[in-house]
Amino acid sequence: MVLMTRHDAHKGIGQDPLTSLLKPIFMGSDFYHVAKQCGDWLLSHEHAIAPSFHLVTEGQCRLTWHDGGVEHLQAGDLAFFPGDAPHQLTPEGASTDTRPQVVPLDSPQPGVGLICGHFRFVHDIPPAWFGALPRIVRISRPARGEAFQQTIEAFAKELPAEDAPGHRPVTTSLANALLIFMLRHCLETRLLDYRHLMSFLDTPVSRALALLHENPRRDWTLHELARAVGLSRSSFSERFHRVVGVTVARYHGWLRMMLADQALANGESIVGAMLASGYRSESTFRKAYKRIRGVSPSRLKVRSTE
């Protein structure tokens, strides 16, 4: 009797979905925080920039969502944010020293070690299937396999060695591998459904997604997209919703709000965010932002500290 593994069965399909779906659009990784937080500190992440992660190398911290939800992260925890949802990080429990300090990761001073980064994609927009994942994927040390853990240990060891030859490409490569391991974890724990992931390789839907990602500022109509992929308006609408899980209009609106969030995070005004996302009317933009994001852009503009 010959036993066929899931991997062998998928090879029969002829496609590895992670490779096929990531290769054309994945651009690499950036780090925005590599340090130890000491005292009574606060890190505020207000705007969606790109899918991101936090790796807690030491200590414990509290993650608070804007809706009041709370997560508790401890040393060794890896938190993946597929949609880069707004949140804040604070120390867990009361601190005897209220003065906030930022010191190197290898400092002997007690605190919370954090490595935080973003994953970059073509046109600064993540793949549509990331939307199937929860707002946070927590992966504790016991949940990681040997290769996954070795990558994290190498990553945490290499990051502080900024003067080492080839430091940047090494850390970037390790962070890129980190994304693959996290997505594998999502498949293994069924946070990502393999068949649903394969459906994103549907040719007409993939073509429509590519068009939307290539020019998200354009006022695409359902008729234009359907004609571009060779389907009737109704057939395309049904097919897109079945594969992606939302309507074409909803998905297009989400892409435009990603551009608006990036503009706001870069210090642009509300009008600047409106223009960056392809809107021509400020009132229309404000209504669309509130409908999709649940808050007004002015509220996030005022609160943005990162």
Side-chain angles (χ1 to χ4, degrees), residues 222-235:
L222 194 59
H223 176 72
E224 287 172 333
L225 284 170
R227 183 174 57 185
V229 302
L231 294 174
S232 69
R233 186 175 180 277
S234 60
S235 178

Side-chain angles (χ1 to χ4, degrees), residues 107-120:
S107 169
Q109 186 170 340
V112 179
L114 288 167
I115 297 173
C116 309
H118 290 128
F119 299 110
R120 296 181 291 109

Side-chain angles (χ1 to χ4, degrees), residues 17 27 80 114 178:
M27 299 290 288
F80 173 41
L114 288 167
L178 195 64

Side-chain angles (χ1 to χ4, degrees), residues 46-50 66 83-86 124-126 250-251 253-262 264 285-297 299-300:
E46 300 291 341
H47 294 287
I49 306 281
H66 281 186
D84 202 26
D124 295 323
I125 298 173
R250 182 74 178 181
Y251 186 78
W254 176 69
L255 291 183
R256 298 176 90 172
M257 291 311 113
M258 286 285 294
L259 297 176
D261 281 335
Q262 290 160 12
L264 291 170
F285 167 69
R286 286 179 177 273
K287 289 177 183 177
Y289 194 99
K290 179 68 181 294
R291 183 179 68 252
I292 295 171
R293 286 289 188 242
V295 296
S296 68
R299 181 183 174 209
L300 287 184

Side-chain angles (χ1 to χ4, degrees), residues 148-160 170-171 174:
F148 193 170
Q149 181 59 23
Q150 287 175 348
T151 299
I152 287 178
E153 290 173 358
F155 182 53
K157 185 176 180 179
E158 177 67 25
L159 267 174
V170 169
T171 54
L174 288 169

Side-chain angles (χ1 to χ4, degrees), residues 7 16 52 65 79 82 93 138 163 180 186 199 242 247 255 267 282:
H7 176 68
D16 163 19
S52 60
W65 303 105
R138 293 182 56 185
D163 296 330
I180 302 300
C186 292
S199 71
R242 173 166 44 82
T247 64
L255 291 183
E282 185 177 347

Side-chain angles (χ1 to χ4, degrees), residues 17 46 75 83 136 149 182 188 241 246 257 264 270-271:
E46 300 291 341
I136 183 173
Q149 181 59 23
M182 289 192 295
E188 290 165 357
H241 190 280
V246 295
M257 291 311 113
L264 291 170
I270 302 299
V271 172

